[in-house]
Amino acid sequence: MAMIRFGQHVVTSSQIFFQSALSFAFVNIRPVVPGHVLVAPKRLVERFVGLTREEVTDLFVSAQKVSMAVEREFKATSCTLAIQDGRDAGQTVKHVHVHIVPRRPGDFKRNDDVYDKIDDSEASLDALHHDMRSEQDMKEEASRLSKLLDFS
């Protein structure tokens, strides 16, 4: 099974549902809502400012494609896209990545609570918790999203 490095973690091919020339998208082991996925550059770069112009373009074009598929698959009305760039911004995985979180009316008490949830999910990534998704669950989600992106 092929793997890609994601900072200090490894993402398996079964979790990856989209790849472009310079970026990849994968399902989240600890989503804040169903459909919360991540898009990252293939090259391991810790900070956004370290990306080349080509990587920035590819990352955001990829995030746009992925967000459209996520909205469709999870019947969302909007998406929150977020980058935590650096430790003081809440980044715990030392690899640039875009959070794509499908949104619906009333999904959080306060709209901006989504950012606290993202912080919480990232902060606990290195710990073993019972709320991690199964490999099978992530594989099935990746397969569904991959089919939607085959036509983009």
Side-chain angles (χ1 to χ4, degrees), residues 23 48 55-65 81 83 98:
S23 302
F48 187 75
E55 287 170 320
V56 170
T57 299
D58 190 86
L59 181 67
F60 278 95
V61 168
S62 296
Q64 182 184 44
K65 288 179 181 182
L81 280 70
I83 296 176
V98 180

Side-chain angles (χ1 to χ4, degrees), residues 71-88:
E71 275 192 37
R72 186 169 167 201
E73 174 66 19
F74 291 92
K75 297 173 181 43
T77 56
S78 304
C79 278
T80 294
L81 280 70
I83 296 176
Q84 295 165 300
D85 188 35
R87 182 176 171 199
D88 294 331

Side-chain angles (χ1 to χ4, degrees), residues 23-74:
S23 302
F24 68 107
F26 56 103
V27 297
N28 198 333
I29 196 164
R30 189 172 285 113
V32 300
V33 297
H36 172 194
V37 300
L38 304 169
V39 182
K42 289 179 178 177
R43 185 170 67 96
L44 204 161
V45 178
E46 185 173 339
R47 298 286 311 277
F48 187 75
V49 297
L51 296 173
T52 65
R53 288 177 195 256
E54 293 80 13
E55 287 170 320
V56 170
T57 299
D58 190 86
L59 181 67
F60 278 95
V61 168
S62 296
Q64 182 184 44
K65 288 179 181 182
V66 168
S67 68
M68 288 188 290
V70 165
E71 275 192 37
R72 186 169 167 201
E73 174 66 19
F74 291 92

Side-chain angles (χ1 to χ4, degrees), residues 58-126:
D58 190 86
L59 181 67
F60 278 95
V61 168
S62 296
Q64 182 184 44
K65 288 179 181 182
V66 168
S67 68
M68 288 188 290
V70 165
E71 275 192 37
R72 186 169 167 201
E73 174 66 19
F74 291 92
K75 297 173 181 43
T77 56
S78 304
C79 278
T80 294
L81 280 70
I83 296 176
Q84 295 165 300
D85 188 35
R87 182 176 171 199
D88 294 331
Q91 181 183 19
T92 59
V93 177
K94 295 180 178 183
H95 192 148
V96 175
H97 57 287
V98 180
H99 291 264
I100 299 178
V101 182
R103 303 295 303 273
R104 289 174 204 80
D107 54 0
F108 291 95
K109 186 175 180 178
R110 286 182 332 103
N111 195 40
D112 285 349
D113 286 347
V114 67
Y115 301 109
D116 293 332
K117 289 290 190 181
I118 290 170
D119 282 345
D120 293 346
S121 74
E122 285 236 341
S124 59
L125 243 184
D126 288 321

